[in-house]
Amino acid sequence: LLHPKDEKNAFRLLTTAAVLTYMLSTLWSSPGLAFNFIAGAGAVLQIAGWYYMLRLLISLKEQKLFSFHFSAFLLSVSFVAFTLKIFLQLLSVLQTVSLLAYNYKNLIIAYLHLVLIGFLSIFLIAFFIENKVLRLTRLSKWGVLLFLLAFIVSEILLVSQALIARLNLPAISH
């Protein structure tokens, strides 16, 4: 059975964290230690909210509440992207990491792709499949898998370009 208390806790923690983690976008300018603490508190609250979301996801899977295995798979992929987002936000509390992201814009683009494509879009596709808004056919499955593959490859390319630049290696041409 789903626990409404877990849903409430996840919502409250993640909503509060969203307000506090706004400070993460200011850290590259060295605004002061107070901003790091506020952003860090937001990152910690996100981890607590993540825990309650994980409990909900496990409960959904254990109760086999999904109509389609494919939508359960997509929801898991979306949750992995959400987990990476939270981990990256926790790391960005460190000044060196926030400066790295500021100096290598591909990392910011990769992060935005992770959130908007990896988490949000994949979640919405799973939601639409589960609610029979999107018909699950062999072709639509292959289309979604191609979408996932393109997302993963683009993330690898964006991050590798930034790492190549950071390590002063020869750039990838074209």
Side-chain angles (χ1 to χ4, degrees), residues 58-82:
I58 289 170
S59 181
L60 284 170
K61 283 189 165 194
E62 284 176 350
Q63 295 175 51
K64 297 178 177 38
L65 294 179
F66 292 102
S67 304
F68 303 99
H69 293 292
F70 193 67
S71 57
F73 163 73
L74 290 175
L75 188 60
S76 297
V77 170
S78 176
F79 191 75
V80 167
F82 180 70

Side-chain angles (χ1 to χ4, degrees), residues 66-152:
F66 292 102
S67 304
F68 303 99
H69 293 292
F70 193 67
S71 57
F73 163 73
L74 290 175
L75 188 60
S76 297
V77 170
S78 176
F79 191 75
V80 167
F82 180 70
T83 302
L84 284 171
K85 168 212 174 289
I86 288 175
F87 176 72
L88 290 171
Q89 283 191 308
L90 181 63
L91 279 179
S92 69
V93 171
L94 304 171
Q95 180 104 22
T96 54
V97 175
S98 64
L99 283 173
L100 186 70
Y102 177 74
N103 290 323
Y104 299 98
K105 301 302 186 226
N106 280 359
L107 294 177
I108 294 171
I109 294 167
Y111 173 80
L112 292 172
H113 281 192
L114 177 69
V115 173
L116 298 173
I117 298 172
F119 171 56
L120 188 60
S121 295
I122 294 171
F123 172 81
L124 287 173
I125 292 169
F127 178 81
F128 291 150
I129 290 170
E130 197 60 31
N131 288 287
K132 297 173 181 70
V133 173
L134 178 65
R135 241 180 67 223
L136 193 59
T137 64
R138 188 173 179 188
L139 183 63
S140 65
K141 260 188 184 178
W142 278 106
V144 171
L145 290 173
L146 181 63
F147 177 78
L148 280 174
L149 178 65
F151 161 69
I152 291 167

